[in-house]
Amino acid sequence: MPILKKLPGRSKTYLNDLKDLNKNLNPFEDVDLDDGDRNADMGLIMGEQPFKTRRDGEEEENEVNTEWHGAGNPKAKPLKGTLERICGVSPLKTLGKLGKGLRISGRNVWSNSMPHYSPGDSNTLPTEREKKKGVRRSSEGKIMTLFTGRRKEERRESLPCGDLSINTEAEACRRPSFLRIVSLGKLKRESMSDKGSQEGSEETVEEEPVAKTREPLSVLEILHLVNHRDLLLADTHMQELERECELLSQLPASESLSSNATLDSSRRKVKDVELLYEALQKEMWDVVRESLRQPAAGPNLGLVVLVIQQEEHADAAWAFREETKPERESFQSQPSHRPRRFKTKWRQAVAEAADWSLPLQMNSTAGQLANYLERLRSRMVDDIDAARRNAVAIYPEEFSAFQVYVESYHKAVAKRLRTITSGPLQITDVYSLLDWFYNIYNRDVLGYIGSKTPINYSTLEPILLQDTVERLEQNCLNIVKDNVTTELIHILDEEERRWGQTLHIEEWQCHLARSVIQRLKVDLDRSTSVNQFLGARVARCSLIGLADFLYNFQRKVEMFHDTQAEFGDRGDGYVSRTIALVNCCPPLRSFVERCRQCDPQVSEDTAQRANSSMDRIINQSVRVLADRLFEHIRPFFDKLIKRKWLNNAEAFEAIEASIKQHFKKFRRMDPPPYQTLVGEVHRRVMVEYVRAIMRGRIICTSSKMRKRMAFRLQDEAKQLRGLFKDLESNASWLDSILCHLADIILLEDTPSIQVEVAVLVKEFPDIRKKHVSTLLNVRGMTRQAERQEILNIVKDFECSSSISLLSRDHALFSDIPITSEMHCISLGFLRLAMTVTNWFSEQRVRRRHRSSVRNLMYPVYCACCM
């Protein structure tokens, strides 16, 4: 029995009360707190001061005195035992353990005596007093949590899976007054000290575990669970807290607490629930985002999935209750924050994680967009691979997690492309963006991802709108037009200035074509690599600009030749410059053909206009070079087909040597313009040769003379054929002309001559009767009947348009005019020559006969004399 301080007039009363208390209270038994204590607890909840009775104050004073003096224990051991037990233990921790035991005992008593009710049934709702008893004291819980936070954390860690529903909920809900906890703690220590003195002789008896019901946690404790990412347990308690708020809102107005404090407390609870859900979602979506940057997803992502499923189930239950709830109750209840749609918010969180993960364009310098798009592609592919390895397997199938991740990254990429296309872009960046849109993203991103795991492409919207794509393509075409027109004019002006400055230098190649093609080829290659349609449109623009450039180039070339013809010396520098200008045409013609093939239907007329300009440049340059050659060899053609020519080949050899000398430089010309030059020189040589024959400066008066002339023509025709073959001439159709003329002169019988004339007319349709008649005059054919038979073979062209249909390359006799006066003079001279020749022939025969007779008669005369 503890020794109490002597108090006037009340010692016996206090002593008897203390005895009764010591007999009846045992800290290891269930204790049913009286209604006064419960009301005091509710006063704490409502912010009121607890009311102490007079007896409570006296009991507390006796308990303090007993503890201070240590009376009532003869051996003075309980105090020692008590000190040994509490040695090194914090007083607040000891009080907490004692309060825990008392609250558990009280809860068991209350739970056994509390009637059962259903949460959704208004008929079974608890009474006002029972609801007051189970109300969460959030304010007191916050204070005690701050006061004993470390102790709660240690107890929570000791529970499996972080379950704090036994220890922490009991402390947060029903805490008796502080002095009562102290008094009960003292009694508990005395009882335990008495029990400890008998431990040596008595066997310990194991107590049966008492069934404990879980009580809700305080707001701070739930927040602590959220911060430590014990997400599933936190969500469970948050749903319980939310359910409490719903029950309070469903109480009738007569039964609910009508005080302002109760209303404020209810509103605070609702606000606390929403703040807790915001904190929960923040942690959940952080886990979703972090799962993309970790080698493994970890257990937290699984908790996120469980929370989502639990919240979806809660949304379904809420929806069912709302459907079955009477209309009167639905009007009276407060608006709910359900459904929370955690699965939809999870999709939004994945989209935000994708947007957070993809890089932003920091450098807007022209030409750097391709590097940024490559980083964007690499990051998306890596993140999708990481999601496939780490996260997708954790989600159930109904989540369609992989499709959600792909769609989220797809939308994040589309968002960045919209930002890029909202501002001005350089031409290189436009090509990079269109190429990435048409090819790289579909092939290297979606194609690669789909090859690993099948995805539904129908749900993926285009990353660029069709209007945006068309706008980019039109901007690209406009830039190409402007650049082609401006830059090509600048290149041509620079090249024209170089022509006059470097005329004394032999330059056989011009860099004009290479500069133009390089500029146009960039746009054509980039656009063709994007797609064929854009390549065709860019090729059309490039071809139009190139045709305009070639027309200006042709005009400047003509001006160059005209200027050199009037003021220049037309030396070797002029020849080299002419060849260099011609050498620009083959590569430009090839590029024109490439542009035409990209858009064959629309670009045909433009390609013809460009080729026509180049043809004029080539033909003018070929004519200039050929004229320069014939200025040297034309005097030697005047010496051909004369009597001296029959015995002397110097003129022909001079012509052949001059041609070879000039073609040493002409060979610097690139094909096919070189073949054009060789063919033109070949044709003009044959024209000059035939013209020399048609002049009639030799009239064959005998078969021997015809044979000599024919053999000489055949020999020189063979030499010319070998010469132009070495020069790689393609005009082989000219090789037979001299042979046919030689055969007509050589043949004797009229039918053979007719056949040869027919072959000549067939191979050279531009030949006329005048040409054949002149050739018969050279042959020396004077009989009109034979001449008429041969001339009837020739079908003269009555209409000059028929000749115009012939190609210039295959026209020969049309460049050899024959006048009628020439024919008459030649024929009269031929007749006179034939008469004189016949007289001399007869006289020569007579002389030979007389000399032979004399030679025979001279030996006879000598014999007679002897």
Side-chain angles (χ1 to χ4, degrees):
M1 184 67 67
I3 300 173
L4 300 177
K5 182 175 63 174
K6 186 176 181 180
L7 298 174
R10 296 186 182 181
S11 299
K12 293 182 180 182
T13 304
Y14 291 162
L15 184 59
N16 293 332
D17 293 339
L18 187 58
K19 288 180 180 180
D20 295 338
L21 185 62
N22 190 19
K23 290 178 181 180
N24 296 330
L25 290 179
N26 188 353
F28 299 97
E29 296 178 356
D30 294 339
V31 179
D32 188 8
L33 299 177
D34 55 2
D35 295 339
D37 294 338
R38 296 173 187 173
N39 292 334
D41 295 342
M42 284 303 300
L44 287 174
I45 295 174
M46 302 305 299
E48 299 175 358
Q49 296 293 332
F51 177 75
K52 294 184 180 181
T53 61
R54 177 180 179 184
R55 184 176 180 84
D56 292 338
E58 292 174 356
E59 289 176 356
E60 290 170 1
E61 186 176 358
N62 290 335
E63 289 168 358
V64 172
N65 292 334
T66 304
E67 180 68 18
W68 182 261
H69 295 283
N73 187 6
K75 298 180 181 181
K77 290 183 178 180
L79 182 59
K80 181 179 179 181
T82 301
L83 293 174
E84 291 176 355
R85 291 179 181 273
I86 67 175
C87 182
V89 180
S90 173
L92 296 177
K93 185 173 183 181
T94 306
L95 291 176
K97 292 182 179 179
L98 179 58
K100 171 186 173 184
L102 293 177
R103 286 192 299 274
I104 292 174
S105 300
R107 186 173 64 251
N108 293 335
V109 175
W110 295 334
S111 62
N112 294 332
S113 61
M114 184 180 297
H116 178 73
Y117 64 93
S118 301
D121 192 359
S122 60
N123 297 326
T124 60
L125 291 174
T127 62
E128 181 179 358
R129 181 174 179 179
E130 291 173 352
K131 290 183 178 181
K132 290 179 182 179
K133 181 174 63 177
V135 171
R136 182 189 310 268
R137 297 177 296 172
S138 59
S139 300
E140 183 182 356
K142 295 177 182 179
I143 296 173
M144 293 304 294
T145 303
L146 294 174
F147 194 67
T148 60
R150 180 178 180 86
R151 175 174 52 83
K152 292 179 181 179
E153 184 176 352
E154 294 175 355
R155 289 205 310 275
R156 183 160 54 250
E157 293 174 354
S158 64
L159 291 178
C161 299
D163 190 1
L164 303 178
S165 60
I166 298 176
N167 298 337
T168 58
E169 291 179 7
E171 296 175 5
C173 292
R174 299 182 182 87
R175 287 190 178 88
S177 63
F178 182 75
L179 294 178
R180 186 170 184 83
I181 291 175
V182 174
S183 63
L184 292 178
K186 305 304 179 181
L187 294 177
K188 181 179 177 182
R189 284 198 297 275
E190 290 179 1
S191 175
M192 292 183 65
S193 64
D194 293 339
K195 185 178 179 180
S197 61
Q198 300 176 1
E199 286 180 353
S201 59
E202 297 180 0
E203 296 180 356
T204 59
V205 179
E206 296 182 358
E207 297 182 359
E208 296 181 0
V210 181
K212 301 177 181 180
T213 59
R214 186 182 63 184
E215 294 188 3
L217 300 181
S218 65
V219 174
L220 287 181
E221 289 172 328
I222 298 175
L223 181 61
H224 188 74
L225 291 177
V226 172
N227 293 335
H228 283 71
R229 291 189 175 177
D230 198 349
L231 304 177
L232 183 60
L233 183 60
D235 182 67
T236 303
H237 287 287
M238 289 161 62
Q239 289 188 9
E240 293 177 358
L241 184 58
E242 184 183 25
R243 187 59 181 161
E244 289 180 9
C245 297
E246 292 180 3
L247 292 176
L248 289 176
S249 64
Q250 292 175 1
L251 290 177
S254 59
E255 298 180 4
S256 60
L257 298 177
S258 58
S259 63
N260 294 332
T262 303
L263 295 176
D264 293 341
S265 177
S266 177
R267 293 170 183 172
R268 283 196 300 269
K269 281 188 176 182
V270 173
K271 187 175 182 180
D272 290 343
V273 169
E274 297 308 315
L275 293 175
L276 287 174
Y277 268 109
E278 290 180 3
L280 176 65
Q281 294 179 57
K282 180 179 179 300
E283 292 295 330
M284 291 172 62
W285 311 149
D286 287 346
V287 171
V288 172
R289 182 174 64 251
E290 293 168 2
S291 63
L292 299 175
R293 290 289 176 269
Q294 295 177 353
N300 292 330
L301 188 60
L303 293 178
V304 170
V305 176
L306 294 176
V307 170
I308 295 173
Q309 291 178 329
Q310 184 169 273
E311 286 294 329
E312 290 294 315
H313 180 72
D315 287 344
W318 174 85
F320 179 75
R321 289 197 304 269
E322 290 294 321
E323 291 177 359
T324 58
K325 183 186 298 184
E327 295 183 0
R328 181 177 58 84
E329 294 184 5
S330 63
F331 284 115
Q332 292 178 357
S333 61
Q334 297 180 358
S336 176
H337 293 276
R338 293 282 178 183
R340 298 191 180 276
R341 297 184 179 90
F342 263 50
K343 185 177 287 188
T344 303
K345 294 179 180 179
W346 165 74
R347 293 191 182 96
Q348 296 175 358
V350 174
E352 292 176 358
D355 186 69
W356 166 82
S357 178
L358 293 180
L360 297 175
Q361 186 185 14
M362 305 302 296
N363 187 6
S364 58
T365 307
Q368 297 300 319
L369 182 59
N371 297 331
Y372 169 71
L373 293 176
E374 177 60 25
R375 290 191 292 114
L376 198 65
R377 181 204 65 81
S378 178
R379 178 63 62 82
M380 180 175 176
V381 171
D382 294 343
D383 286 357
I384 294 296
D385 286 341
R388 182 192 297 110
R389 292 191 308 268
N390 302 334
V392 173
I394 298 177
Y395 292 96
E397 292 184 0
E398 61 268 16
F399 277 68
S400 300
F402 188 74
Q403 184 72 21
V404 171
Y405 274 93
V406 173
E407 291 178 1
S408 300
Y409 274 89
H410 182 79
K411 293 178 181 177
V413 170
K415 177 182 177 182
R416 278 155 175 75
L417 295 188
R418 285 195 299 269
T419 303
I420 293 173
T421 55
S422 61
L425 294 175
Q426 298 293 330
I427 183 65
T428 55
D429 294 335
V430 173
Y431 284 131
S432 300
L433 183 57
L434 291 175
D435 185 32
W436 204 82
F437 168 73
Y438 281 114
N439 303 316
I440 297 176
Y441 184 73
N442 294 327
R443 181 186 66 243
D444 299 340
V445 180
L446 295 182
Y448 173 79
I449 294 172
S451 64
K452 299 292 184 179
T453 304
I455 58 178
N456 185 10
Y457 294 97
S458 61
T459 60
L460 301 178
E461 298 179 356
I463 55 177
L464 283 177
L465 298 177
Q466 187 63 30
D467 295 340
T468 304
V469 175
E470 292 178 357
R471 177 172 58 84
L472 290 175
E473 291 180 352
Q474 188 61 41
N475 292 341
C476 178
L477 296 178
N478 294 335
I479 294 174
V480 169
K481 290 179 182 179
D482 296 340
N483 291 348
V484 166
T485 303
T486 305
E487 296 181 9
L488 294 188
I489 290 177
H490 177 72
I491 292 173
L492 184 58
D493 292 339
E494 291 290 334
E495 186 65 25
E496 184 183 14
R497 283 193 291 269
R498 291 186 66 254
W499 294 348
Q501 297 173 359
T502 60
L503 191 60
H504 61 282
I505 303 174
E506 290 188 356
E507 290 185 355
W508 306 98
Q509 296 295 331
C510 182
H511 301 289
L512 176 65
R514 184 173 62 183
S515 301
V516 172
I517 292 174
Q518 285 180 351
R519 175 61 194 85
L520 298 178
K521 192 172 180 292
V522 172
D523 293 322
L524 187 60
D525 291 343
R526 292 297 303 273
S527 60
T528 306
S529 64
V530 172
N531 59 16
Q532 295 297 327
F533 178 70
L534 180 62
R537 298 174 68 183
V538 172
R540 192 184 314 160
C541 295
S542 300
L543 188 55
I544 293 173
L546 182 59
D548 296 337
F549 164 79
L550 290 175
Y551 177 75
N552 295 329
F553 181 44
Q554 172 207 337
R555 296 288 302 274
K556 291 184 180 297
V557 169
E558 291 175 353
M559 292 173 60
F560 170 74
H561 288 305
D562 294 342
T563 303
Q564 294 300 318
E566 294 180 7
F567 306 102
D569 56 357
R570 300 171 67 90
D572 294 336
Y574 173 72
V575 174
S576 63
R577 176 56 58 189
T578 302
I579 294 175
L581 295 177
V582 173
N583 288 339
C584 294
C585 294
L588 290 174
R589 193 185 296 274
S590 300
F591 189 78
V592 168
E593 181 63 22
R594 179 185 174 185
C595 294
R596 190 193 65 81
Q597 291 178 358
C598 293
D599 190 18
Q601 297 179 355
V602 182
S603 302
E604 186 67 31
D605 296 338
T606 309
Q608 291 180 359
R609 185 162 62 93
N611 289 327
S612 177
S613 299
M614 288 186 287
D615 290 340
R616 292 190 185 95
I617 294 173
I618 293 173
N619 293 334
Q620 184 180 14
S621 300
V622 167
R623 185 172 63 254
V624 167
L625 296 177
D627 291 343
R628 182 179 177 82
L629 171 63
F630 276 86
E631 287 177 0
H632 294 80
I633 65 176
R634 185 173 286 111
F636 298 103
F637 282 103
D638 295 337
K639 298 179 181 180
L640 297 178
I641 318 301
K642 292 182 177 180
R643 288 187 176 273
K644 187 178 180 180
W645 165 74
L646 293 174
N647 299 321
N648 190 353
E650 292 181 359
F652 181 80
E653 292 175 355
I655 294 173
E656 185 178 12
S658 181
I659 292 174
K660 290 181 179 180
Q661 183 65 30
H662 279 79
F663 268 89
K664 289 181 180 180
K665 296 181 179 180
F666 293 167
R667 282 184 177 273
R668 300 291 187 92
M669 186 180 293
D670 296 333
Y674 173 75
Q675 276 73 28
T676 304
L677 175 62
V678 175
E680 179 64 17
V681 171
H682 192 178
R683 190 190 70 83
R684 290 182 64 174
V685 167
M686 303 308 296
V687 167
E688 294 296 330
Y689 205 110
V690 173
R691 179 181 285 114
I693 296 174
M694 294 299 170
R695 286 176 180 173
R697 289 178 294 191
I698 292 181
I699 303 297
C700 296
T701 58
S702 63
S703 60
K704 182 178 180 181
M705 189 175 180
R706 288 195 298 271
K707 288 180 181 179
R708 289 181 60 189
M709 183 176 181
F711 291 156
R712 186 61 184 271
L713 289 175
Q714 292 176 355
D715 182 59
E716 292 183 354
K718 183 178 180 180
Q719 294 184 40
L720 290 175
R721 185 187 305 114
L723 172 64
F724 286 104
K725 183 179 180 180
D726 294 339
L727 297 179
E728 301 177 1
S729 174
N730 295 327
S732 58
W733 59 277
L734 293 170
D735 296 336
S736 61
I737 179 64
L738 295 181
C739 295
H740 291 311
L741 297 179
D743 292 338
I744 292 174
I745 294 174
L746 181 62
L747 295 175
E748 295 292 341
D749 56 321
T750 302
S752 299
I753 297 174
Q754 289 177 339
V755 171
E756 197 65 33
V757 170
V759 173
L760 181 64
V761 171
K762 183 178 181 180
E763 292 185 3
F764 300 94
D766 60 338
I767 193 171
R768 299 190 180 187
K769 289 182 179 180
K770 295 180 180 181
H771 297 109
V772 178
S773 178
T774 302
L775 184 61
L776 294 177
N777 293 337
V778 173
R779 186 183 182 279
M781 182 176 288
T782 60
R783 297 186 182 92
Q784 292 295 327
E786 296 177 355
R787 290 173 62 89
Q788 192 61 37
E789 291 178 1
I790 296 173
L791 292 176
N792 289 335
I793 301 299
V794 182
K795 295 180 180 180
D796 196 5
F797 292 95
E798 300 295 338
C799 183
S800 60
S801 60
S802 300
I803 300 177
S804 63
L805 295 176
L806 295 175
S807 174
R808 171 72 178 171
D809 297 336
H810 289 73
L812 180 66
F813 288 96
S814 58
D815 293 337
I816 306 174
I818 301 297
T819 60
S820 59
E821 290 80 10
M822 177 181 176
H823 172 71
C824 295
I825 295 174
S826 298
L827 182 59
F829 180 74
L830 176 60
R831 289 175 180 176
L832 178 61
M834 291 292 292
T835 303
V836 174
T837 302
N838 291 333
W839 183 80
F840 278 108
S841 297
E842 292 176 358
Q843 294 297 326
R844 188 179 299 110
V845 171
R846 290 176 182 177
R847 289 177 183 177
R848 289 179 181 176
H849 179 69
R850 289 176 182 176
S851 60
S852 61
V853 171
R854 287 177 183 177
N855 292 333
L856 290 174
M857 293 298 294
Y858 181 75
V860 175
Y861 175 75
C862 291
C864 293
C865 291
M866 293 177 63

